[in-house]
Amino acid sequence: MPNEKPVHGAFSFFRNRLAMRFFIAIFFLLQTVLAFAAEKLPRVYGATFPSSFALYVFHPDLLAGWNGPLRDYEKKYIPEKYQQLPVLGGWYGKGIIPDREILLKSHPDVAFLLTGDRAQSNDIVTAFEQMKIPLITTRSVTMEDNISMLRYLGKTFRQEKRGNALADYGQKSLDKVARMLKDLPENRRIRVYMAQDADGLATTCDQSTRSRAIWLAGGKNVHQCPHEMRESITRISFEQIMNYDPNVILVNHPALQKRFFRENRWKALRAVREGHVYFVPHEPFSWLDRPASFMQFIGIQWLATKLHPDLCQIDMTEETRHFIRLFFKSDLSPEATRKILNP
């Protein structure tokens, strides 16, 4: 992505003034977790959906509970034992926070937070300080951050083989796509509109970290925003989408996927007329955004094959089966995998 700022290390969160107050406490916390891990796994509460998803794929026995009820399509990949974990709430954005009484009654040994938005992260750190629940954090903004995060979990909980296996897959995914697109000229980048929300009239900004997967897959987000709004999900009019007239439309919301082609207004767009509308896979969790997570490791490969099929020739059926087997320890048939790829 043009003018992209360099990514800082996984612990840049501690540069924040508020978090510095907890540095010494967290240092001793990590020593406690390591000692605990030598005997048995602690019960870890993930403060956000991405935090809990990361804990689950890293080691499901760590997870103290879910942030919200599991959807039916998510349950297909999660054994009954883990489906029965309690719903403890979480920080979702839009002011939604967990019930502290429910959280305290669950008695987690430690909480885990993937940090992104600084203001929200500060609020969450303060909340755990007030509840006297130990908290460990690591940065999660880019795919590179998620690679580092998985290695960090491996070291923290003395499961380095598992952490490295997941992180290595992420790095290989990025390297594979970068290698395939290394000679892509700027004028061949595909103009993409990412249709968010159930009506498709919300989207991400071109310079946002949320759009980075589109850029790395050889695309360019058509929606430009003022700098101060670049990380927002913004509402736009259908007339604005018509003005953009993108080459490709990505439909991210499952509800919109079910009825997209029944809504006549979309047929006015070139991407629809030329057959370049792609439904983002969302099983077990979204492959690209909302939430953005380690699922982007497979999502970036899928998107590259859609935007540049001549350059990115990946057998997505076999690649998806490998990914699900590694991250979710589930074996899918080729037929079931094709259904994931074609929601």
Side-chain angles (χ1 to χ4, degrees), residues 287-323:
W287 283 28
L288 290 180
D289 196 17
R290 303 187 87 177
S293 70
F294 60 87
M295 295 295 299
Q296 289 185 333
F297 297 156
I298 187 69
I300 189 178
Q301 297 180 75
W302 168 83
L303 184 54
T305 64
K306 295 298 186 183
L307 299 184
H308 298 284
D310 55 329
L311 299 175
C312 300
Q313 298 179 5
I314 302 171
D315 184 336
M316 285 308 303
T317 298
E318 288 305 310
E319 190 64 38
T320 302
R321 294 181 72 196
H322 173 58
F323 174 84

Side-chain angles (χ1 to χ4, degrees), residues 12 32 62 92 163 189 216 331:
S12 63
T32 301
L62 287 170
Y92 311 169
R189 285 194 174 274
L216 293 177
D331 286 313

Side-chain angles (χ1 to χ4, degrees), residues 30-44:
L30 292 177
Q31 304 308 309
T32 301
V33 171
L34 288 172
F36 203 166
E39 300 176 6
K40 67 173 184 177
L41 290 171
R43 296 177 67 254
V44 185

Side-chain angles (χ1 to χ4, degrees), residues 60-324:
D61 290 326
L62 287 170
L63 194 61
W66 298 102
N67 301 111
L70 292 171
R71 300 176 177 90
D72 288 341
Y73 62 77
E74 294 170 340
K75 291 179 180 179
K76 293 189 294 184
Y77 306 91
I78 297 173
E80 182 70 21
K81 170 185 176 181
Y82 303 110
Q83 291 181 31
Q84 297 304 315
L85 289 172
V87 173
L88 302 177
W91 281 263
Y92 311 169
K94 297 183 179 180
I96 299 175
I97 62 175
D99 184 310
R100 292 194 182 193
E101 184 177 352
I102 292 175
L103 184 53
L104 287 167
K105 284 182 178 179
S106 72
H107 301 295
D109 297 305
V110 63
F112 174 62
L113 172 65
L114 295 178
T115 65
D117 178 88
R118 178 170 292 184
Q120 184 190 42
S121 296
N122 290 349
D123 291 343
I124 297 174
V125 170
T126 299
F128 281 107
E129 181 191 36
Q130 293 170 347
M131 289 186 287
K132 295 181 170 51
I133 297 175
L135 174 68
I136 55 177
T137 70
T138 186
R139 175 183 165 94
S140 177
V141 175
T142 67
M143 280 180 272
E144 290 86 351
D145 289 339
N146 281 320
I147 291 168
S148 297
M149 173 270 294
L150 291 164
R151 298 196 196 282
Y152 171 71
L153 287 177
K155 291 178 180 178
T156 300
F157 296 106
R158 293 189 176 181
Q159 303 283 333
E160 291 187 62
K161 183 177 179 180
R162 176 64 175 168
N164 286 337
L166 300 180
D168 288 347
Y169 179 89
Q171 189 61 60
K172 289 176 182 176
S173 297
L174 286 175
D175 292 345
K176 179 197 299 184
V177 173
R179 185 170 59 252
M180 291 177 170
L181 297 175
K182 64 182 177 63
D183 296 323
L184 181 71
E186 184 66 21
N187 61 9
R188 281 202 59 196
R189 285 194 174 274
I190 305 298
R191 299 173 67 256
V192 176
Y193 174 71
M194 169 71 91
Q196 301 272 20
D197 284 0
D199 62 1
L201 300 182
T203 193
T204 52
C205 300
D206 65 330
Q207 290 294 316
S208 72
T209 53
R210 293 174 177 273
S211 291
R212 191 164 179 267
I214 293 173
W215 182 266
L216 293 177
K220 178 177 175 57
N221 189 333
V222 296
H223 185 52
Q224 299 180 359
C225 304
H227 180 76
E228 64 273 13
M229 296 178 60
R230 68 189 183 281
E231 294 299 337
S232 303
I233 299 288
T234 59
R235 296 288 299 175
I236 67 172
S237 67
F238 188 78
E239 289 71 22
Q240 182 63 64
I241 302 173
M242 291 185 66
N243 288 337
Y244 286 143
D245 198 21
N247 302 110
V248 162
I249 296 174
L250 299 177
V251 181
N252 195 50
H253 199 289
L256 182 59
Q257 291 176 354
K258 291 179 180 178
R259 65 171 189 274
F260 182 87
F261 289 109
R262 297 199 302 269
E263 295 188 1
N264 289 330
R265 63 180 177 178
W266 295 103
K267 297 176 183 178
L269 298 171
R270 169 175 48 176
V272 179
R273 295 195 305 270
E274 296 181 354
H276 298 313
V277 176
Y278 305 120
F279 293 172
V280 179
H282 52 263
E283 294 185 20
F285 311 126
S286 175
W287 283 28
L288 290 180
D289 196 17
R290 303 187 87 177
S293 70
F294 60 87
M295 295 295 299
Q296 289 185 333
F297 297 156
I298 187 69
I300 189 178
Q301 297 180 75
W302 168 83
L303 184 54
T305 64
K306 295 298 186 183
L307 299 184
H308 298 284
D310 55 329
L311 299 175
C312 300
Q313 298 179 5
I314 302 171
D315 184 336
M316 285 308 303
T317 298
E318 288 305 310
E319 190 64 38
T320 302
R321 294 181 72 196
H322 173 58
F323 174 84
I324 296 295

Side-chain angles (χ1 to χ4, degrees), residues 77 284 320-330 332:
Y77 306 91
T320 302
R321 294 181 72 196
H322 173 58
F323 174 84
I324 296 295
R325 188 181 305 116
L326 175 62
F327 279 75
F328 292 87
K329 300 181 179 179
S330 179
L332 295 179

Side-chain angles (χ1 to χ4, degrees), residues 12 45 49 59 202 217:
S12 63
Y45 166 71
F49 277 106
H59 200 311

